[in-house]
Amino acid sequence: MQVSDVMTPGVQFIHPEQTIREAARIMAERDIGALPVGENDRLVGMVTDRDMVIRGLADGKGPETKVRAVMSPDVKYCYEDEKVDHVAHNMGDIQVRRLPVMNRNKRLVGIVTMADVATKRGPAVAGEAIKEVSERRTARTEAQKPALMKPKPRKKNR
């Protein structure tokens, strides 16, 4: 089974000079959590609802902030003619839950998510990839905890 068999086609771009308010409205209208960012007919980034919160609002940026300021410019993608199992495994390796899907002319043709894989290919394939993402995040979080929770040494009173 190829990615084109499970992906969501007809993806809408957002321009990097549009605002995060506009991105949020599109996400709300379409009930999605990510948008590809396109400029001059090319994919230049991805912006997620989490990007807008963490890199935008949490940093004190307002709703008129440009998408370019919060997007992820390092876009990972797959091709529509790749095997679903292979792409799902790669998604686990690179710890992403969604990928833009390109044709061989590097034009965006869709988005594939773990949910697409689970519903159209089966939960076992998606489950293994999600497990990889979760295990790595948990391991990273656990490794950071001791440093974050280390108590400060007490000063001795003399």
Side-chain angles (χ1 to χ4, degrees), residues 5 14 18 24 26 58 65-66 78 111 128 132 137 140 148-149 151:
D5 298 322
I14 190 159
Q18 286 181 264
I26 293 168
T65 300
K66 303 297 184 200
C78 64
I111 296 276
E128 204 45 50
E132 288 181 43
R137 287 191 177 162
R140 185 174 60 224
L148 295 174
M149 300 179 71

Side-chain angles (χ1 to χ4, degrees), residues 70-143:
V70 300
M71 73 180 196
S72 298
D74 182 27
V75 181
K76 306 293 187 215
Y77 58 88
C78 64
Y79 290 105
E80 64 184 342
D81 59 358
E82 287 185 82
K83 299 283 184 201
V84 172
D85 293 10
H86 172 74
V87 170
H89 178 73
N90 285 346
M91 290 170 79
D93 283 347
I94 61 175
Q95 297 186 306
V96 297
R97 296 175 193 272
R98 62 181 73 85
L99 279 177
V101 180
M102 311 293 268
N103 65 21
R104 290 294 172 172
N105 294 322
K106 292 210 175 169
R107 296 291 184 241
L108 183 70
V109 295
I111 296 276
V112 65
T113 67
M114 289 291 183
D116 293 331
V117 174
T119 57
K120 296 173 185 160
R121 177 62 179 91
V125 175
E128 204 45 50
I130 290 171
K131 181 180 173 190
E132 288 181 43
V133 171
S134 299
E135 284 177 349
R136 289 190 182 138
R137 287 191 177 162
T138 301
R140 185 174 60 224
T141 303
E142 291 299 320

